[in-house]
């Protein structure tokens, strides 16, 4: 992934030779009333938030002079290697610039292509494991989903899990271990991983490790990697669970409906869903500013979490921040607002497709709480019977896990 660094360090706007004296410190910026010296954000030192919000306002008003002025300031004051605010300002500034110049899609595809070309199994695996060591951001979903599936599938001799996720199969070793320690006879597990893009290379590389671990756990195991949900193979004697992690929130309405209907046709006993709690679906004329505010809220929590979880000079932290940058571009620079207005939440689509949300058991909640004790006390858990369980960072919900079963009229038990 190191080859992507040249993309991130390129400036989008020509460097200015010097800044006027009024720009000596961010809190002194007052041109065009961009920032007032008595604003609460400025007095707290949160200059980046004020500048970025001013940019979005200027873009909404099509004020080209103010846009250019603010972009110039952000270009001078931000840095991908600075402190928390400088980094946040840098990545959001770049995304807003791409939006203003209609170059978001091209830049996003370039970053994605660079990631694929620089793929390294060893480096990717090391980054995943290091992130899991310092943060429950991903392991929270693993524990919540695995626990729910194990309870629903208990007692059945043959299991088939359809994995449509971005977990790169890191979720399944603990699942296999849990199967191996069950009181009843160890069931046969078939795992079908639906992957796309660079994830395909990683999953294929990890296949021998998965099969070796299953043999070590004495779990009869069959593993297949496919690139299309249409290639899923169904066997009548298997009980099916569908694992959605980090995928449903990225699809359009039609894509989500098509995918959910296809999964409904395979008659799953349970569907588990894990998604980040960034609600980027809005409506109305001010949808750009609403999307921006939600994006800023969510990714501020993410950057804060990385800043407090890794050492300041951590290369892994830098790589995760750069990967996060791609997500910010996708949200702010690539999506047109008409598309966002037409989209419904994936939970609404699941409900209308004949599935109902069910609560996690006390045992699963206990397992998740036990997981969080391994990390800083800034992490907590929030339980809502109507939506699922949320991973919370400093009072901000960041990841949601939920469990869905078919309604009585669509019961798939055999």
């Amino acid at each position: 992934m190191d080859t992507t660094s040249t993309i991130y360090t390129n400036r989008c706007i020509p460097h200015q030779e010097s800044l006027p004296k009024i720009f000596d410190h961010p809190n002194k910026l007052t041109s065009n009333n961009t920032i007032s010296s008595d604003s609460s954000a400025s007095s707290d030192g949160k200059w980046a938030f004020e500048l970025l919000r001013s940019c979005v306002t200027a873009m909404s008003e099509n004020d080209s002079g103010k846009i250019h002025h603010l972009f110039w300031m952000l270009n001078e004051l931000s840095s991908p290697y600075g402190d928390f605010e400088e980094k946040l300002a840098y990545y959001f500034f770049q995304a807003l610039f791409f939006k203003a110049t209609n170059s978001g899609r091209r830049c996003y595809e370039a970053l994605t292509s660079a990631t694929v070309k620089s793929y390294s199994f060893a480096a990717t695996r090391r980054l995943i494991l290091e992130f899991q060591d310092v943060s429950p951001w991903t392991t929270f979903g693993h524990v919540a989903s695995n626990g729910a599936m194990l309870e629903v599938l208990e007692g059945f001799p043959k299991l088939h899990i359809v994995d449509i996720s971005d977990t790169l199969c890191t979720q399944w070793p603990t699942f296999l271990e849990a199967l191996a320690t069950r009181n009843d006879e160890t069931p046969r597990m078939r795992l079908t991983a639906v992957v796309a893009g660079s994830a395909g290379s990683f999953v294929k590389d990890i296949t021998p490790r998965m099969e070796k671990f299953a043999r070590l756990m004495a779990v009869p195991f069959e593993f297949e990697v496919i690139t299309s949900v249409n290639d899923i193979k169904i066997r009548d004697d298997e009980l099916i669970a569908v694992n959605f992690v980090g995928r449903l929130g990225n699809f359009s309405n039609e894509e989500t409906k098509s995918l959910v209907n296809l999964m409904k046709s395979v008659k799953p006993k349970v569907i588990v869903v894990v998604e980040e709690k960034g609600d980027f679906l809005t409506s109305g004329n001010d949808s750009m500013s609403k999307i921006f505010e939600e994006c800023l809220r969510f990714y501020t929590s993410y950057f804060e979490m990385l800043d407090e979880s890794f050492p300041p000079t951590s290369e892994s932290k830098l790589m995760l921040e750069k990967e996060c940058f791609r997500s910010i571009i996708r949200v702010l620079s690539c999506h047109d607002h008409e598309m966002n207005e037409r989209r419904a939440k994936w939970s609404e689509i699941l409900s209308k497709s004949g599935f109902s949300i069910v609560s996690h058991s006390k045992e699963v909640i206990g397992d998740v709480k036990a997981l969080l004790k391994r990390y800083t006390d800034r992490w907590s858990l929030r339980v809502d019977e109507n939506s699922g369980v949320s991973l919370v960072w400093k009072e901000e919900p960041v990841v949601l896990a939920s469990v869905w079963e078919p309604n009585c009229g669509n019961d798939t038990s055999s």
Side-chain angles (χ1 to χ4, degrees):
M1 286 186 277
D2 291 341
T3 56
T4 62
S5 61
T6 55
I7 297 175
Y8 290 101
T9 55
N10 286 340
R11 291 287 184 154
C12 293
I13 302 176
H15 182 75
Q16 305 292 335
E17 289 185 3
S18 61
L19 289 172
K21 290 183 179 180
I22 196 172
F23 296 152
D24 285 348
H25 190 277
N27 292 349
K28 296 180 182 178
L29 300 174
T30 56
S31 179
N32 294 329
N33 293 320
T34 300
I35 297 182
S36 60
S37 58
D38 61 348
S39 72
S40 60
S42 294
S43 62
D44 291 339
K46 295 183 179 180
W47 58 269
F49 295 82
E50 282 294 312
L51 279 178
L52 291 168
R53 288 189 174 108
S54 296
C55 279
V56 172
T57 300
M59 291 171 68
S60 299
E61 296 172 351
N62 292 317
D63 189 334
S64 59
K66 185 179 287 186
I67 292 170
H68 180 79
H69 177 66
L70 290 165
F71 278 176
W72 173 42
M73 290 192 291
L74 279 167
N75 187 57
E76 293 296 333
L77 296 169
S78 63
S79 168
Y81 305 106
D83 61 23
F84 165 74
E85 269 202 278
E86 289 171 333
K87 288 181 179 180
L88 196 72
Y90 176 81
Y91 290 123
F92 271 84
F93 156 57
Q94 296 283 316
L96 291 175
F97 180 82
F98 295 153
K99 177 70 176 177
T101 56
N102 295 316
S103 57
R105 178 62 58 184
R106 175 174 55 82
C107 292
Y108 179 78
E109 290 174 353
L111 291 172
T112 302
S113 177
T115 300
V116 172
K117 289 179 180 178
S118 62
Y119 163 76
S120 162
F121 173 78
T124 302
R125 180 175 178 272
R126 184 169 58 251
L127 181 63
I128 291 171
L129 294 176
E130 188 172 349
F131 187 36
Q132 291 180 351
D133 279 343
V134 301
S135 169
W137 194 281
T138 57
T139 50
F140 159 79
H142 297 181
V143 173
S145 296
N146 285 354
M149 286 188 288
L150 285 165
E151 289 183 342
V152 172
L153 302 177
E154 186 173 2
F156 290 89
K158 295 182 180 180
L159 313 178
H160 182 193
I161 297 179
V162 179
D163 182 25
I164 306 174
S165 71
D166 60 0
T167 65
L168 300 175
C169 290
T170 56
Q171 178 177 347
W172 304 118
T174 53
F175 190 89
L176 287 166
E177 187 174 3
L179 288 180
T181 56
R182 283 183 14 170
N183 294 328
D184 54 354
E185 184 178 349
T186 302
R188 175 178 292 275
M189 175 181 170
R190 185 157 70 99
L191 177 63
T192 300
V194 185
V195 299
S198 58
S201 299
F202 183 93
V203 173
K204 288 177 181 177
D205 286 340
I206 207 173
T207 298
R209 294 170 180 259
M210 291 280 294
E211 293 172 341
K212 181 179 180 181
F213 186 78
R215 288 194 299 270
L216 181 66
M217 292 289 103
V219 176
F221 182 66
E222 185 179 343
F223 186 34
E224 183 179 14
V225 180
I226 60 177
T227 57
S228 170
V229 290
N230 295 311
D231 296 331
I232 297 172
K233 299 171 185 175
I234 303 303
R235 298 172 188 168
D236 294 337
D237 60 345
E238 295 175 330
L239 200 68
I240 298 173
V242 179
N243 184 65
F244 283 119
V245 180
R247 296 294 293 275
L248 286 182
N250 296 331
F251 295 140
S252 67
N253 261 6
E254 293 307 312
E255 288 171 330
T256 303
K257 289 177 182 177
S258 176
L259 184 57
V260 169
N261 285 333
L262 182 59
M263 291 302 99
K264 183 180 178 180
S265 70
V266 306
K267 298 182 178 179
K269 183 70 174 177
V270 64
I271 292 178
V272 292
V273 182
V274 178
E275 289 291 337
E276 293 177 337
K277 289 271 290 183
D279 183 9
F280 305 125
L281 310 180
T282 63
S283 60
N285 295 330
D286 59 345
S287 58
M288 179 181 174
S289 61
K290 287 184 177 180
I291 292 172
F292 167 79
E293 286 296 336
E294 177 63 7
C295 193
L296 186 63
R297 179 201 70 80
F298 178 79
Y299 288 112
T300 294
S301 295
Y302 185 77
F303 273 81
E304 279 184 347
M305 179 272 298
L306 291 180
D307 224 38
E308 296 187 26
S309 301
F310 288 94
T313 58
S314 168
E315 182 67 21
S316 295
K317 181 175 73 167
L318 181 62
M319 299 311 299
L320 289 166
E321 288 169 346
K322 289 178 178 179
E323 182 61 27
C324 179
F325 178 42
R326 271 206 307 159
S327 299
I328 295 172
I329 292 175
R330 178 175 56 80
V331 173
L332 287 184
S333 311
C334 298
H335 287 183
D336 64 41
H337 299 139
E338 291 182 2
M339 185 194 76
N340 277 295
E341 288 172 14
R342 291 196 303 269
R343 288 185 60 186
K345 292 183 177 181
W346 52 263
S347 56
E348 296 173 1
I349 294 174
L350 277 169
S351 296
K352 292 178 180 178
S353 299
F355 294 91
S356 296
I357 193 167
V358 295
S359 301
H360 288 81
S361 69
K362 292 181 179 178
E363 290 74 19
V364 173
I365 297 296
D367 290 341
V368 175
K369 288 181 178 178
L371 170 75
L372 297 188
K373 289 180 180 178
R374 294 168 42 191
Y375 303 97
T376 173
D377 59 7
R378 294 179 180 86
W379 292 107
S380 61
L381 188 67
R382 187 175 299 170
V383 181
D384 185 338
E385 292 183 359
N386 297 316
S387 60
V389 295
S390 295
L391 177 67
V392 178
W393 168 260
K394 292 183 177 180
E395 305 303 321
E396 289 288 346
V398 292
V399 183
L400 172 70
S402 58
V403 184
W404 299 77
E405 293 181 0
N407 296 333
C408 294
N410 300 305
D411 192 3
T412 60
S413 59
S414 52

